[in-house]
Amino acid sequence: MIRLNQPQSAAVSYVQGPLLVLAGAGSGKTRVITEKISHLIKHDLYPPDRICAVTFTNKAAREMRQRVGENLGKKKGQARGPRISTFHTLGLDIIKREYGGLGLRSGFSIMDAADTLGVLRDVLKKSGPDAVAAAEATQWRISSWKNAMLTPQQAAAQAADPLERAGAHAYELYVRALKAYNAVDFDDLILLPVQFFDQVPERVQEWRDRLGYLLVDEYQDTNLAQYNLLRRLMGDGGAITVVGDDDQSIYAWRGAAPENLKQLSADYPNLKVIKLEQNYRSSVRILRVANKLIANNPHLFEKKLWSGLGEGDVVRVLKARDPADEAQRVVGEIVQSQLLGKGPLSEIAILYRSNFLARPFEQALRGQGVPYVLSGGTSFFDRTEVKDILAYLRLIANPTDDRAFLRIVNVPRREIGTKTLEGLATYAGERHKSLLESSDDLGLAARIAERGARRLQQFADLIERLTETAERKGPIAAVKDLLLDIDYESWLAGQAKDPVAADRAGANVQDLIRWLEKMVSSREDCSLPDLLAQISLLDRLSGEDEDKTDGVRLMTLHSAKGLEFNNVFLVGVEEDQLPHKNSIEGSGLEEERRLMYVGITRAKQRLTITYCNQRKRYGDTLECTPSRFLEELPQDDLRWEGRKEQLTTEERRERGRAAIANLRGLLAGG
């Protein structure tokens, strides 16, 4: 039986109306959510399949499902458990049920970021290295517009300059292309359900009835589109528990609005607020440091974390000459801690503001033979060149895979334009065929331009030849023939930003071939579908395997949110790094302070903060200044390396009392 403190228990049992749980760092918010789900089920307040918990990451959703399962066990006659998913999975469930009302056909594709970049490059009609940057900038702008609930027409009306007007035009063409391809992107998974509910309001009540009771985690990270989706699903009944912490809102760059917490009071005048202020993670000293820092920010809600885990170690501040020295010193301490048997490596984390700061630490760890896990990096199977080749293999194995077709129909560039693909998609939809099958259809030539039809036919012929090779000689032979036929590595070199990037991409292609050869040789009669299924499984599990590896964790402060470690090194704490130089103006500084607050509160027992005197930028050596945030911390709780003897307030008072006593003694003796 899990024991809850009084505020946690109150949050679990309160079902009389809407509830906001203000959950500070390490205060047990996940426990509250999972225990509340169990409470709703055990007391027959809602059937399991009418309870929905929403969070931001698959990992958090998996953890919740596991905990709820442990709490409830297997209940006889229970057909379905509670719905526990991410925002985007919930949105996808809605779209799958309502696709007809959204103008989609069955079997619609979901394009990932790499797929949408390809569509945007076609829309922008650019090629070469400059096309990548242009497509990425446009992709970011369109994502921001979608998260702000703006249509292409609204984006155009609000455009302040020619660049934004061009972006809005690209947005319109992009939306048309997705519709023609019967596809949606990641942002559409939230936007389209909101638009559907506004257009067909009678369907909203059916979904409210289906969901019943709603629980939302990390509410301070919701953007406008997510808020609007939740607001429609919540209705006015108030069968909802929202958990959040405005002090941990660190995603403004992707549209997060901590003000959504405050908006709840306007949406629900009868909103009950319960604060979770007892921290079960960190020492008293670490919390004192965190509280003093975040007190410099304005607050939507006042709270103060406290801990019963003891005073704890002093927080150390180390000065290094440069990044190499910083890395060597941190890694040296890690090696020493291991020699002394101070716990597993997975309980040690090196946290930083930007990814480039990780490089010297990777080098130092490798040099000392210390295992590590780089979190948030690009998976091998997510690299562009790897995904390109795998998309070819997917299409060879399955000619109805429209998503794979769209990814590689112009890789390398075949000058098959958006208008041609729109015509192909319309033709395929009318005949209920795949895009590849329709490319080989005699009737297509009458519907699109002759040049486009000819190039589509050539692409279909290529896939047919590779399919025959795969069937006769196996998947490895098909891959090698593919690379020769399309001269892929030469095309990669032409697309790369520089020779180093080109070499790296070429090496990844060769690594993939070697890996495929190894997989085929280790399995009897390994067909292409078998191989692809194995790759899919490996890719899906890669994030889970990361948790099981005993190695030092290297991650950004954004990636570290929600995690905890015995020993934390917060590195690169300098002006222009933390706070970042692009975020010093306006509310950006407040978010940077919250980011450091998140870093501090990841530590359970020991926290070390480091900064450098010098860093190289673009070939120049620049002098560095310790972050302004360091001066905002309680100095009695810090030990600055290299500074003259530091005394706590109590130590200074004690010395003062001793001096006065000595003086009195001298006077009395005189």
Side-chain angles (χ1 to χ4, degrees), residues 320-378:
R321 293 188 307 274
D322 53 38
D325 181 45
E326 182 182 38
Q328 289 296 338
R329 296 193 59 190
V330 168
V331 172
E333 291 206 5
I334 291 172
V335 171
Q336 186 179 9
S337 73
Q338 290 306 291
L339 291 173
L340 297 173
K342 293 185 175 180
L345 288 169
S346 58
E347 282 292 342
I348 303 172
I350 301 172
L351 310 181
Y352 37 82
R353 173 65 173 83
S354 303
N355 276 307
F356 79 90
L357 294 169
R359 294 168 193 159
F361 294 96
E362 285 192 82
Q363 292 170 354
L365 288 163
R366 285 199 300 268
Q368 293 290 338
V370 179
Y372 68 91
V373 176
L374 182 64
S375 299
T378 303

Side-chain angles (χ1 to χ4, degrees), residues 144-213:
S144 298
W145 280 327
K146 286 190 174 186
N147 290 332
M149 304 292 297
L150 295 178
T151 64
Q153 294 72 31
Q154 291 168 327
Q158 294 185 13
D161 53 51
L163 191 62
E164 287 192 359
R165 283 192 289 275
H169 180 61
Y171 182 14
E172 184 177 5
L173 296 176
Y174 172 71
V175 170
R176 281 175 50 192
L178 289 187
K179 187 174 182 179
Y181 302 156
N182 193 35
V184 298
D185 64 20
F186 201 60
D187 295 315
D188 286 332
L189 300 180
I190 307 297
L191 178 63
L192 292 181
V194 176
Q195 292 177 338
F196 174 75
F197 288 146
D198 289 346
Q199 293 163 7
V200 193
E202 60 269 23
R203 296 289 295 148
V204 179
Q205 190 57 50
E206 293 183 31
W207 276 94
R208 289 172 185 167
D209 293 340
R210 181 177 288 123
L211 296 179
Y213 197 95

Side-chain angles (χ1 to χ4, degrees), residues 26-56:
S27 63
K29 67 178 180 63
T30 303
R31 175 187 294 180
V32 166
I33 294 173
T34 55
E35 287 295 315
K36 186 150 195 173
I37 293 172
S38 302
H39 177 84
L40 294 170
I41 295 171
K42 288 177 178 177
H43 291 80
D44 294 323
L45 298 172
Y46 287 87
D49 60 353
R50 292 191 65 235
I51 298 170
C52 177
V54 187
T55 187
F56 277 86

